[in-house]
Amino acid sequence: EARQLIQGSQSFDLAFIDLFLPDGDGVEFMTLLKKQFPTMEIIIFTGQASIESAVRATQKGAFHFMTKPFAMDEVLSITERALSHHQLETENKLLKSELQKKYKFDQIVGQSDAIKSVLSLVERVADSDSTVMITGESGTGKELIARALHYNSPQRDQPFVAINCGAIPSELLESELFGHVKGAFTGAISNRIGRFELADGGTIFLDEIGDLQPALQVKLLRVLQERSFEPVGSTKSVQVNVRVIAATNKNLEEGVIDGRFREGRPPDTE
């Protein structure tokens, strides 16, 4: 009967499946359901529980594994949790879809040769993991281009983390970027994950990178070269796989000449 039901047009949010069915295996049927309804939550029941069967069910995607006999209050509680999780997953999927639609190239308005050239370049580099620098005056849409790069890249389902390097005091920016450990400085009452670690697997957007202090430029250069860093107060390196997109309204070439912006590898002692 269940096989016939799922062939119709009706959608299902939740299924209760016994591990041992008269005409089949509950986990195998769950796999079939998951293929047709990827966000469906599954609760498996069994009267012959074992650690192996519980592990097998959860690895295949079961939300919960319950043994019989069971209390109805427990079933209702788990059902409520499963449906809440289903709603959250559905909302997240919808949000990601809307974000991807919002930052498609055809959503960026402009007919001039200059904007067409920019969008052509964005389209060419979106699929790569190359570090990208976006320059332009304030208000010209640098973050819009950065988001278009991310949401049209293979990392589109991974985090996009943005930070304005000019809006955070320099003494706090290092902790914001790389995190800190408990006791690293006054007020560091617990460990904190930085923006680079939050963006692991996705993209970090460093806006107004021209305002970055020289000491932080050295640490950023190491992240670009080695994909690793140490949180403030720690000697343990954290490895990340992050694409870096930066933006500035300043002339960085002049900054290099004036000694305000670093060029080249950091010294081996740093």
Side-chain angles (χ1 to χ4, degrees):
E1 288 180 42
R3 289 180 187 275
Q4 291 175 353
L5 280 173
I6 65 174
Q7 298 306 315
S9 59
Q10 188 173 357
S11 178
F12 297 91
D13 300 328
L14 176 67
F16 299 94
I17 306 177
D18 203 303
L19 185 62
F20 299 103
L21 301 171
D23 55 352
D25 178 270
V27 174
E28 290 182 2
F29 184 57
M30 177 184 71
T31 303
L32 176 65
L33 287 176
K34 280 286 190 179
K35 286 182 179 179
Q36 187 156 347
F37 307 105
T39 61
M40 175 188 277
E41 302 297 348
I42 310 287
I43 297 174
I44 297 287
F45 291 110
T46 183
Q48 302 177 30
S50 69
I51 294 177
E52 291 79 8
S53 56
V55 169
R56 175 170 165 251
T58 52
Q59 285 179 337
K60 293 288 187 178
F63 180 81
H64 201 78
F65 186 90
M66 298 189 67
T67 57
K68 298 183 286 188
F70 49 79
M72 186 54 68
D73 287 347
E74 183 183 6
V75 175
L76 293 174
S77 175
I78 292 171
T79 298
E80 185 176 357
R81 284 166 44 201
L83 291 175
S84 295
H85 185 264
H86 172 79
Q87 182 179 4
L88 182 62
E89 288 288 309
T90 302
E91 290 174 352
N92 284 341
K93 187 175 181 181
L94 178 61
L95 177 60
K96 287 180 179 179
S97 175
E98 289 298 316
L99 283 172
Q100 290 175 25
K101 180 181 178 182
K102 181 179 179 180
Y103 295 107
K104 288 294 184 183
F105 299 127
D106 57 6
Q107 298 297 310
I108 300 176
V109 179
Q111 296 297 323
S112 69
D113 291 340
I115 193 64
K116 288 179 180 178
S117 176
V118 169
L119 294 179
S120 175
L121 182 58
V122 169
E123 193 169 11
R124 291 203 305 272
V125 302
D127 284 339
S128 77
D129 58 358
S130 301
T131 300
V132 176
M133 173 67 76
I134 305 169
T135 60
E137 296 178 5
S138 296
T140 52
K142 295 188 292 296
E143 183 169 348
L144 182 64
I145 294 298
R147 290 182 180 273
L149 277 168
H150 173 75
Y151 288 110
N152 289 276
S153 75
Q155 293 78 33
R156 61 180 63 89
D157 292 327
Q158 300 302 316
F160 177 91
V161 177
I163 182 169
N164 188 325
C165 299
I168 300 174
S170 57
E171 61 271 17
L172 300 178
L173 186 56
E174 182 176 4
S175 174
E176 283 291 328
L177 289 172
F178 306 112
H180 62 250
V181 297
K182 181 179 179 180
F185 50 83
T186 302
I189 59 175
S190 62
N191 294 347
R192 179 177 180 178
I193 294 176
R195 303 292 182 94
F196 267 94
E197 196 167 352
L198 288 173
D200 191 23
T203 301
I204 186 167
F205 175 55
L206 305 176
D207 199 7
E208 303 303 343
I209 197 173
D211 293 330
L212 206 63
Q213 295 298 309
L216 279 180
Q217 293 175 27
V218 174
K219 200 161 186 176
L220 176 60
L221 187 55
R222 182 187 173 191
V223 177
L224 293 175
Q225 293 172 337
E226 302 179 15
R227 302 299 179 186
S228 68
F229 60 88
E230 289 87 34
V232 178
S234 175
T235 57
K236 183 179 179 181
S237 292
V238 176
Q239 295 286 330
V240 289
N241 179 22
V242 177
R243 183 184 195 178
V244 177
I245 301 177
T248 183
N249 61 2
K250 297 182 177 180
N251 188 322
L252 295 186
E253 292 181 354
E254 291 181 359
V256 171
I257 295 173
D258 296 340
R260 292 180 286 105
F261 206 81
R262 191 180 189 97
E263 182 180 34
R265 287 184 56 86
D268 292 338
T269 56
E270 296 181 13

